[in-house]
Every structure is written in structure tokens, then in C-alpha cells.
Amino acid sequence: KRAEEDSAIQYLQSQYSTINPEEIKTFKDLPLSQKTLKGLKDNNYITPTDIQRQAIGYALQGKDILGAAKTGSGKTLAFLVPILELLFCKKWTRLDGVGALVISPTRELAYQIYETLRKVGHLHDFSAGLIIGGQNLKFERKRMDQINILICTPGRLLQHMDENPLFDCSQLQILVLDEADRCLDMGFQTTMNAIIENLPPKRQTLLFSATQTKSVKDLARLSLSFPTYVAPHEQA
Ligand code: ADP
Ligand code: MG
């Protein structure tokens, strides 16, 4: 069983370099694990949207991404699918701690991401956590050390980083900022700086927003180097 899984993973990874967004018609045309493909299919996600078609391949290749596409274009799966695949290929287990962190500017959006993750990720064994405040801090705190994929708002995340001895993201593999322009704007500046300081610099970073964030300062803050721009239907 183990050897089978190892060779499946090796095969998937060997396909990454050959991904051509132009040739992708359905999610099946991407080298994705059976668990993710079935999770997508079970929820009637068959044909990737443009941002998904273009971003997923680069993300699987380990690139940092700046993705811009209008509201409703399917940005959520453009980052959730790579997260599931990355942790799957690394054979992440509950004991490995927080492997992926998704930061969203509002509770409502964070909740929607979490719900989508629960649906498409239902066949994977990872644990997902939603940390958005409005809940008892102690209740959240006890669960923090068992979460693999953490969806959160900036303020609440920083609160845990500051106050919770169980919170550890030293193993973080991938950071996603959803609605990145909003996460990085003035209101969250101090909070985001403090969060980023607490994250290991060696990681993959994906930024998604409805508008393009190209501020060099912002990118430097996130230690993004040579990110790939993905913006369907728009001039980069
Ligand atoms: P965005 O974050 O870009 O505003 P969302 O990720 O919230 O967009 O997706 C918008 C809507 O499109 C959601 O209802 C989602 O379920 C649906 N959707 C996303 N990807 C697909 C797909 N590949 N096929 C069908 N529906 C999709
Ligand atoms: Mg969105």
C-alpha cells in the first residue's frame, strides 16, 4: 500500500514540469491525486476556470504566484487544490502540524474558504481549522496544535501567535493571502508584518486578489522572489 502510494506520488510529481495550461480541459488533465480529483468531482467541479487552469500548474511546480482575477472567477480552488496536493505529496499527517496557512481579510470569506476546503478535501486525511475570532479563544487554542490547514483572519491569527504556546507554524510549507490587496492594505499593515515575521521564510507563497498587487514593497515584505503573474483576460 505504502509503496503504491509512493510511486503514485512520484508519478504525479514527474508530470508537473509538462503541464500546459492551454491543453487543460478538465481537472483530470492536471496531474492531481485521486483524492483531490474525486473530491472535485463529488462537488461537480469538472472544468477548471481560467484562473484555476493557469494558476494550479505553476503552483504545483512550486512557484510563488501573484494571481489576479475578478470576483466569482474561482480563486478559492486555485489555491486550495495546490495546498491539498502539496501536503499529499509530502505525506503530511496530523502530527506534522500546520503545513498550510490561508489568510483572509474577513470572517465571512474565511468561512467560505473553509467550507469549500471541507467539501473538496473530504477524502484527504488532513485536519482543517478555522480561526476567525468570535469563538472562545481557549476552545480554539486547544485545537491549534492538531491543525494542518489553517484558515484565518489576520487579527485572530496574530492573537494566537502572541498568546498561544501551542501555536507552532515552524513547519509551514505554503502561505496564501486571499484578497491579498485587502490583507496588505493600511488597516492590516502592522498585523500582517508581525504575522509574516513569525513565519518561516522558506515556503511557497500565493497571493490572490481581484486587482493586481504589484507594489514592490508588499512583495518584499512577503519575501516573494520572482513571482509568476497569473491574470486571465488582463494585461500583466
Ligand atoms: P472568487 O474567489 O474568485 O471570487 P470563488 O472561488 O468564490 O471565486 O468561486 C465563485 C463561485 O464559482 C463559487 O460558487 C464556486 O463554487 C464556483 N466555482 C469555482 N470553480 C468552479 C469550477 N471549476 N466549476 C464550477 N464552478 C466553480
Ligand atoms: Mg474569493
Side-chain angles (χ1 to χ4, degrees):
K1 186 86 203 296
R2 266 220 106 87
E4 232 170 74
E5 194 176 286
D6 282 353
S7 66
I9 290 170
Q10 266 171 28
Y11 179 72
L12 285 176
Q13 290 178 320
S14 74
Q15 300 298 98
Y16 289 171
S17 62
T18 68
I19 298 170
N20 177 359
E22 312 277 296
E23 289 170 0
I24 294 158
K25 303 263 177 327
T26 67
F27 281 109
K28 275 195 186 158
D29 298 325
L30 281 162
L32 302 177
S33 63
Q34 289 305 316
K35 287 179 179 179
T36 296
L37 280 176
K38 178 122 193 341
L40 288 165
K41 186 166 166 254
D42 290 347
N43 290 282
N44 285 314
Y45 296 124
I46 309 296
T47 311
T49 64
D50 286 339
I51 186 76
Q52 291 161 8
R53 199 192 322 272
Q54 294 183 25
I56 292 173
Y58 291 124
L60 292 175
Q61 289 166 2
K63 299 197 164 97
D64 285 350
I65 290 179
L66 274 181
K70 61 180 194 290
T71 301
S73 56
K75 293 189 288 295
T76 313
L77 289 177
F79 58 79
L80 287 183
V81 168
I83 286 177
L84 289 171
E85 293 303 288
L86 176 67
L87 298 185
F88 174 77
C89 287
K90 293 197 179 257
K91 299 201 252 174
W92 210 259
T93 71
R94 290 184 183 230
L95 302 176
D96 292 316
V98 178
L101 182 59
V102 179
I103 303 179
S104 153
T106 69
R107 286 182 189 180
E108 178 61 27
L109 288 171
Y111 181 75
Q112 286 170 17
I113 296 165
Y114 178 74
E115 284 293 291
T116 304
L117 174 61
R118 302 263 308 192
K119 286 189 203 152
V120 300
H122 76 106
L123 292 167
H124 285 282
D125 299 320
F126 315 127
S127 58
L130 181 68
I131 296 292
I132 54 177
Q135 286 237 32
N136 186 314
L137 196 65
K138 271 195 198 137
F139 172 87
E140 287 180 352
R141 193 174 279 179
K142 286 205 201 103
R143 279 155 187 77
M144 290 294 273
D145 62 331
Q146 301 158 22
I147 295 175
N148 299 137
I149 304 173
L150 183 57
I151 319 286
C152 55
T153 49
R156 192 58 152 196
L157 173 63
L158 186 60
Q159 198 175 358
H160 278 281
M161 281 177 159
D162 284 346
E163 298 172 17
N164 184 353
L166 291 179
F167 185 76
D168 172 17
C169 51
S170 60
Q171 299 308 307
L172 185 75
Q173 306 292 308
I174 181 165
L175 168 69
V176 175
L177 301 195
D178 187 37
E179 304 288 336
D181 48 352
R182 290 167 72 188
C183 290
L184 293 169
D185 86 6
M186 297 290 282
F188 286 125
Q189 199 163 7
T190 335
T191 310
M192 285 304 301
N193 283 345
I195 289 170
I196 289 159
E197 251 174 53
N198 278 300
L199 302 178
K202 200 178 159 293
R203 54 154 204 266
Q204 191 176 5
T205 304
L206 314 181
L207 269 56
F208 282 93
S209 62
T211 59
Q212 195 112 230
T213 320
K214 271 194 184 177
S215 152
V216 175
K217 246 193 191 161
D218 283 343
L219 305 184
R221 273 208 286 163
L222 288 161
S223 49
L224 278 189
S225 54
F226 307 107
T228 303
Y229 291 94
V230 182
H233 311 310
E234 274 171 48
Q235 302 299 320

